[in-house]
Amino acid sequence: MGLAALGMVSAIGLSAAGCGNDSKAGGDVTLKVVVADYGTPGSANSSKGYWDDLVRAFEADGRHGGVKVDVTVLSWEEVDDKVAEMVKAGEAPDIAQIGAYADYAASDKLYSASELLSIPVHADIIPALAQAGELGRVQYGLPFVSSTRLLFYNKTLFTEAGLDPAKPPKSWDELQSAAEALRTAGVKHPYGLPLGPEEAQAESMMWMLSGGGGYTDNVNTYTLDSNENVKTFTWLRDEFVGKGLTGPDSPGKTNRRQLFEAFAKGEVGMLNGHPTLMQQAAKGKVDFGTAPLPGREGEAGATMGVADWIMGFKQNGNREQIGAFLDFVFSTEQHYSFTDRYDLLPVTTSASEKMLDDKKHKDLWPFLEQLGAAEFYPVSKVSWAATSAEVKKSIGRAVEKGTDPQAVLTSLQRRAETEEAAARARR
């Protein structure tokens, strides 16, 4: 879709995005918007600059009546809690850009995507991401930005270990052999396995997918203790951690941030990473490569995708105005501007095509090419937040010597089922 067409989308947003009697059509309206900061708060790269420019352009457009926009930018450490407090106090923002949407959707606090977005803009969202925003087959969460995961490896360490840096491992056996060579060469962390509380749910999901499993099945039922997942963690315990291929620290006490920093110092041979790691590695002057995640027999059939979400709340009844603003946010020019600034992946087809045409982002192309087939957290399950928290606490035990992975995963499965039943009872 061209920019002119997207401009027309914004212009017609007040009629195409929603026309119910709960909207305050006509008159001056100020939308209250709360968003997360993707830069460093108070610094030159804070997201505040992007939102200031976007709001200025939206209000100057002249086709949105008296709609004004007041944006509050908060750090990721506080934005989810702040929005939750506002909703609980009966002061929900009109729009929130946060980490999860399911609780609010299940409580009937959100407009659906079809109630907000005009048809062309809604159709422009990448289907896999649109589906990830559904609850009960209705989309409430609008993906804001996304990322996927690849295997990162240090080419210099590969060479020193006698490995061909042009041939990264494609299977678990090859991954194990490469890790053994790196260990023999004296690399501190042949393979970085962060199963500590920071983001163990992500590392676990990547391994589950590469082993043919996952958190849920194709009907969104929890399957944490599936045969595939048990085999995966048993292999990790016996063939990786048990053979000293993950470094001196316990994976269950090792966080992603530690290993990303170590990779940037040249102390890690291989690990799973997202686009941000490219910036850290480049600053550390690490010569690195990326490759698809290795799987049990060959390249993994899927990789993990992650999305952050933006949503419209019903409380203030500004459906038409919210829709017009979100149409503008998702226009190719504005959406690409944000992803370009922070080296993130677009969530629309038009902005993705623009990034694939921009050689400046050539390093992002492998991540972007996997997005359409990526698997996402089961964020549509209201129980996922509690389940994810429990995974962070205990999944690391599954790879410890003398621990039964089946028992750890079964315990997580039971907790997940209990949380899911309780969530259903509350709805």
Side-chain angles (χ1 to χ4, degrees), residues 285-300:
K285 298 182 179 180
V286 172
D287 184 14
F288 67 92
T290 60
L293 301 184
R296 191 181 298 276
E297 303 295 338
E299 289 183 2

Side-chain angles (χ1 to χ4, degrees), residues 3 6 38 50-51 54 121 124-126 129 142-146 308 310 326-355 361 368 371:
L3 295 183
L6 284 160
Y38 287 78
Y50 165 80
W51 288 104
L54 183 143
V121 173
D124 196 28
I125 294 177
I126 294 171
L129 286 161
L142 305 176
F144 183 66
V145 291
S146 61
D308 298 325
I310 192 166
L326 289 175
D327 270 357
F328 193 78
V329 168
F330 283 108
S331 68
T332 305
E333 181 180 10
Q334 296 297 341
H335 184 51
Y336 185 74
S337 173
F338 189 86
T339 56
D340 174 66
R341 182 179 300 206
Y342 293 106
D343 281 340
L344 293 164
L345 302 186
V347 301
T348 65
T349 299
S350 59
S352 296
E353 291 173 349
K354 187 176 176 68
M355 182 168 281
H361 290 302
L368 188 57
L371 187 57

Side-chain angles (χ1 to χ4, degrees), residues 60-134:
D61 188 278
R63 291 175 289 181
H64 305 116
V67 181
K68 303 292 183 182
V69 184
D70 178 15
V71 179
T72 299
V73 181
L74 300 174
S75 71
W76 271 111
E77 285 76 11
E78 60 181 332
V79 66
D80 288 293
D81 289 342
K82 180 62 176 178
V83 170
E85 291 171 4
M86 294 171 71
V87 173
K88 186 176 181 179
E91 300 173 351
D94 294 289
I95 296 171
Q97 187 270 299
I98 50 180
Y101 65 86
D103 281 353
Y104 300 122
S107 302
D108 195 30
K109 289 178 168 46
L110 302 180
Y111 291 117
S112 69
S114 61
E115 290 177 305
L116 295 174
L117 299 180
S118 61
I119 292 173
V121 173
H122 195 187
D124 196 28
I125 294 177
I126 294 171
L129 286 161
Q131 186 176 5
E134 292 180 355

Side-chain angles (χ1 to χ4, degrees), residues 92-344:
D94 294 289
I95 296 171
Q97 187 270 299
I98 50 180
Y101 65 86
D103 281 353
Y104 300 122
S107 302
D108 195 30
K109 289 178 168 46
L110 302 180
Y111 291 117
S112 69
S114 61
E115 290 177 305
L116 295 174
L117 299 180
S118 61
I119 292 173
V121 173
H122 195 187
D124 196 28
I125 294 177
I126 294 171
L129 286 161
Q131 186 176 5
E134 292 180 355
L135 179 68
R137 298 188 178 182
V138 176
Q139 186 186 356
Y140 295 96
L142 305 176
F144 183 66
V145 291
S146 61
S147 69
T148 56
R149 301 295 191 264
L150 291 173
L151 176 72
F152 281 70
Y153 62 100
N154 185 313
K155 291 184 176 181
T156 302
L157 296 181
F158 261 49
T159 300
E160 293 174 353
L163 300 167
D164 186 347
K167 295 181 179 179
K170 294 183 178 181
S171 68
W172 286 0
D173 285 345
E174 292 179 6
L175 192 72
Q176 183 189 50
S177 295
E180 288 173 341
L182 290 162
R183 180 190 59 189
T184 301
V187 176
K188 183 177 181 180
H189 300 278
Y191 183 90
L193 186 66
L195 292 176
E198 180 190 357
E199 207 185 28
Q201 84 285 3
E203 186 71 18
S204 298
M205 182 172 176
M206 284 181 272
W207 279 97
M208 289 176 183
L209 291 173
S210 68
Y215 283 118
T216 59
D217 59 18
N218 56 9
V219 292
N220 209 29
T221 299
Y222 281 119
T223 56
L224 281 91
D225 62 348
S226 68
N227 289 334
E228 292 82 2
N229 290 344
V230 172
K231 289 179 181 178
T232 293
F233 281 91
T234 300
W235 187 89
L236 279 172
R237 181 197 64 185
D238 297 341
E239 303 299 328
F240 234 46
V241 179
K243 293 187 176 181
L245 301 180
T246 58
D249 305 318
S250 168
K253 297 179 180 178
T254 303
N255 285 325
R256 181 195 64 182
R257 184 176 302 176
Q258 297 169 246
L259 288 175
F260 275 22
E261 291 173 352
F263 187 81
K265 294 177 183 177
E267 298 174 350
V268 179
M270 302 175 289
L271 79 170
N272 295 330
H274 54 65
T276 301
L277 182 55
M278 294 192 299
Q279 299 175 18
Q280 286 182 252
K283 288 180 180 178
K285 298 182 179 180
V286 172
D287 184 14
F288 67 92
T290 60
L293 301 184
R296 191 181 298 276
E297 303 295 338
E299 289 183 2
T303 188
M304 185 183 78
V306 175
D308 298 325
W309 304 95
I310 192 166
M311 60 212 72
F313 283 85
K314 290 181 176 181
Q315 181 179 314
N316 300 318
N318 295 322
R319 182 172 71 175
E320 295 178 4
Q321 294 83 357
I322 293 170
F325 183 64
L326 289 175
D327 270 357
F328 193 78
V329 168
F330 283 108
S331 68
T332 305
E333 181 180 10
Q334 296 297 341
H335 184 51
Y336 185 74
S337 173
F338 189 86
T339 56
D340 174 66
R341 182 179 300 206
Y342 293 106
D343 281 340
L344 293 164

